[in-house]
Every structure is written in structure tokens, then in C-alpha cells.
Amino acid sequence: MNDALARAESLIDLTPDYPEPGILFRDISPLLADPEALRVACAALVEPFEGRFDIVGGIEARGFLLAGYVAAIAGVGVLPIRKAGKLPKPAAAVSYDLEYGSAAIEAPGVLRPGERVLLLDDVLATGGTLAAAQQLIRDLGAEVAGSAVVLELVDLGGRAVAGDVHTLFTAHESA
């Protein structure tokens, strides 16, 4: 890892016992607020996929921020992937299981058949949201060009659910 990426990683804030005792929460907000760290992180997120995507899908909510930045730099559009009930006319929706219960995500009907979508999000934890976003893209007739996240919580096994994901940084659930 180069010095600029190491500096970006050092900006991830750690909050013990949030949102519940025993959880070490990792907040990428300080990384997003630092212009150089944001630039370096977004460049590293997209690097393996350069020239291989037509639009960037951002998963609500911090994925929107990453997708917007990457799309502007790459000269492509953004596909907002929203929590269910946030779009007036969703073109498709996918439900997925959470640790306790279920959730759903939706996308608007802006994709063209065969369009290549790069999916971005902040954290890969259990992989359910990212796997649902991948299915959503396929249900809309488009192709998943790749998936990338800033941080992977390795101990939660998200790759077993979401498949191959490009991650900038990795961490263990409690450390």
C-alpha cells in the first residue's frame, strides 16, 4: 500500500461499543471530508475497472458519495440504488436477508440493456446489500462490471455472499 492510501486509511475513525456493546464501528466520514484522501481512495477504487464500465451504481447512502465522485471523474453517469420506498417509480426491487429480518433495495429505470455498471459502497460486511445490488443490476438487463468498497470487515464473511469484491482496506470485526 502506498503512503497516500495508508494516510487515507488512517483517517477512518474507530468508535468502540457502537451501535451496541462489543462492536467497533468504523466511520469513513473523516476520509470523505479530506480532499486528498477522497481523491486517492476513489482513484484506487476504480483503478481495476478503468475503461470497463458505462455507469457507476452507488448504494445508499455513502455509496452515493463515492459513486458521484467517481462518475464525475470518469465522465459517466450515476445509478442511485435506494432503500425501498424512496423512489416514485422503481424499475426493479430486490429483497435480501439481514441478521434480524429483511430489507429491500430499488433502482430507477435508467439503465440500457447490456450497460456495464460498476457498483460502489463504503463497507462490505455480511454481503447481503451488495449481492442484492448485483442482482438488481442483472434484473434490469445490465451487466455488473465489478464491485468495490472502501473497507471490508473480513470476519463477517461478505465475500461468500457477494463474490469477488475489490476492497481498499480490510479490518477484523473487533480489533
Side-chain angles (χ1 to χ4, degrees):
M1 177 183 319
N2 67 41
D3 290 344
L5 268 178
R7 180 182 168 280
E9 182 179 27
S10 76
L11 295 174
I12 297 171
D13 190 39
L14 304 177
T15 304
D17 298 321
Y18 181 82
E20 58 186 59
I23 302 293
L24 180 59
F25 184 80
R26 289 164 175 84
D27 183 10
I28 69 163
S29 296
L31 183 155
L32 295 173
D34 184 285
E36 179 61 15
L38 177 62
R39 185 191 67 73
V40 166
C42 285
L45 276 175
V46 74
E47 188 268 332
F49 309 102
E50 285 181 15
R52 296 185 6 213
F53 61 94
D54 305 306
I55 191 168
V56 182
I59 301 171
E60 190 168 341
R62 287 174 295 265
F64 289 172
L65 304 172
L66 299 166
Y69 185 98
V70 166
I73 298 304
V76 300
V78 174
L79 171 71
I81 298 173
R82 306 290 317 264
K83 294 176 184 172
K86 302 289 184 178
L87 293 172
K89 294 188 232 173
V94 172
S95 295
Y96 59 99
D97 291 329
L98 298 169
E99 188 175 353
Y100 301 104
S102 64
I105 55 173
E106 302 172 334
V110 298
L111 293 177
R112 293 181 306 267
E115 199 162 21
R116 302 170 300 170
V117 182
L118 173 60
L119 287 171
L120 298 182
D121 205 1
D122 60 337
V123 175
L124 174 62
T126 60
T129 305
L130 192 54
Q134 293 164 346
Q135 184 61 51
L136 189 65
I137 299 306
R138 291 189 293 271
D139 289 354
L140 289 169
E143 173 187 327
V144 177
S147 301
V149 298
V150 173
L151 178 66
E152 177 182 2
L153 302 177
V154 178
D155 298 337
L156 298 180
R159 281 179 186 269
V161 175
D164 187 31
V165 179
H166 173 57
T167 61
L168 297 187
F169 313 120
T170 58
H172 293 277
E173 189 174 5
S174 59

